Amino acid sequence: MRAKTVLSIIGINQDNADLRSAIELCRAAGAHLSVLVTALAIAPVGGYGEVSSSAWAEEREREVQSLSQQVATAKTLLQSSNISFDVDSLLTEYGWVDNEIGERARYADLTLVGGGLLAQNDMRWRVLDGALFHSSAPILITPRGRVATLQPRVVLVAWDSRNEASQAVRAAMEQLTAAENVHVVIVDPRASTRGNGEEPGADIAAFLARHGVNVSVDILSGGGRTVAEVLRQHAVDISAELIVMGAYGHSRMRERIFGGTTRSMLEAAPVPLMMTR
């Protein structure tokens, strides 16, 4: 994936670590950085169909001011960065976050979500839902203390022979071909034509090798652990700088329920995580 437009989503109650990481990634990639400062609008105290209280109006005004201040802070930092950028703000209701984020992410090659936003429990899942399931662009999750990069030396690919994993591999092909080592990891594979193939991992390894990827296949046993636990530990063991995997979920009315492994990895990825649905 060659990123020429990167969308970075930040909240109003976080420091500049996520934004600085996005700046460095865009500088290295020669990409335009589009920053979206996002805040959840506080609902009226008495409900949406009733007259708003003065206390609610004052709180909403404080929220608008915080949003404006964060936008100004972001612009100041970006103006000294010597990269191409734009900054926009979004004050939205909880129920519309996913749609709003999805609409912005459709015009980016990659959506960045950093540890500062992930720490905001009131909005992180709606933002991730919008970025993953309302847009076809991949997302890059960067935990606190880690540096976002599109030039990883060691990559872990979580493989389960499903379409979502295949889409993730294709989205990350530029990163995979440039990496020094790519580990295709399969946890407790089922060797069958309808499972992971007669020789699990052989097909995806051959596919990647034809693209010039330096690939190896790691077959791992769960040993009573979840798939996410196995992947996280192996990423640490091989000193991976990026995990590539497909995102899974299913719709329940307007809420997107993330699959267990997807949610667990999003909650506690030890290194940057690139996901595509």
Side-chain angles (χ1 to χ4, degrees):
M1 185 245 344
R2 179 169 296 177
K4 289 302 178 184
T5 302
V6 174
L7 173 65
S8 177
I9 305 170
I10 63 175
I12 60 174
N13 299 313
Q14 62 180 90
D15 58 27
N16 291 325
D18 289 357
L19 183 54
R20 292 184 186 278
S21 180
I23 289 171
E24 292 309 313
L25 181 145
C26 289
R27 180 179 287 121
H32 175 87
L33 177 57
S34 183
V35 177
L36 182 62
V37 183
T38 308
L40 288 180
I42 299 173
V45 175
Y48 288 103
E50 301 177 16
V51 177
S52 301
S53 68
S54 59
W56 169 83
E58 291 172 0
E59 185 62 29
R60 175 64 69 91
E61 180 59 28
R62 284 193 292 269
E63 192 172 46
V64 171
Q65 291 176 358
S66 295
L67 190 62
S68 297
Q69 290 171 358
Q70 186 72 310
V71 167
T73 299
K75 287 182 177 179
T76 298
L77 183 59
L78 285 159
Q79 284 165 355
S80 62
S81 68
N82 295 318
I83 66 168
S84 173
F85 72 89
D86 67 84
V87 182
D88 198 2
S89 61
L90 173 65
L91 180 63
T92 184
E93 309 292 340
Y94 179 83
W96 293 102
V97 176
D98 50 0
N99 287 324
E100 297 271 12
I101 295 298
E103 288 175 3
R104 310 298 179 99
R106 288 172 202 147
Y107 304 102
D109 298 303
L110 178 71
T111 300
L112 287 180
V113 179
L117 185 70
L118 291 175
Q120 298 188 25
N121 294 327
D122 58 339
M123 63 188 297
R124 63 174 173 174
W125 292 115
R126 299 298 288 179
V127 168
L128 291 170
D129 178 25
L132 273 171
F133 296 106
H134 293 256
S135 164
S136 59
I139 68 169
L140 181 60
I141 303 295
T142 307
R144 283 190 180 276
R146 292 286 181 167
V147 177
T149 179
L150 293 177
Q151 300 170 326
R153 292 170 297 177
V154 180
V155 181
L156 184 157
V157 174
W159 185 253
D160 59 5
S161 302
R162 293 170 64 176
N163 283 339
E164 290 83 352
S166 179
Q167 292 283 14
V169 165
R170 286 175 169 82
M173 188 59 74
E174 182 169 319
Q175 284 67 48
L176 301 181
T177 56
E180 296 175 5
N181 295 290
V182 173
H183 295 255
V184 172
V185 179
I186 311 176
V187 181
D188 294 329
R190 181 166 58 92
S192 70
T193 55
R194 292 183 177 275
N196 297 108
E198 296 296 340
E199 185 180 347
D203 290 341
I204 183 61
F207 171 76
L208 289 172
R210 293 187 194 108
H211 281 272
V213 177
N214 184 21
V215 58
S216 61
V217 178
D218 301 343
I219 306 295
L220 304 179
S221 171
R225 296 172 296 169
T226 66
V227 171
E229 288 171 336
V230 174
L231 292 175
R232 285 196 292 265
Q233 183 58 56
H234 199 60
V236 173
D237 292 343
I238 65 173
S239 300
E241 295 177 353
L242 179 69
I243 297 173
V244 172
M245 65 180 291
Y248 304 95
H250 62 273
S251 219
R252 182 176 298 171
M253 299 185 67
R254 291 199 70 257
E255 296 284 343
R256 176 71 61 175
I257 309 301
F258 290 96
T261 300
T262 299
R263 187 180 183 97
S264 183
M265 291 299 290
L266 288 169
E267 286 179 328
V271 299
L273 169 67
M274 184 181 290
M275 271 192 175
T276 308
R277 69 175 175 84

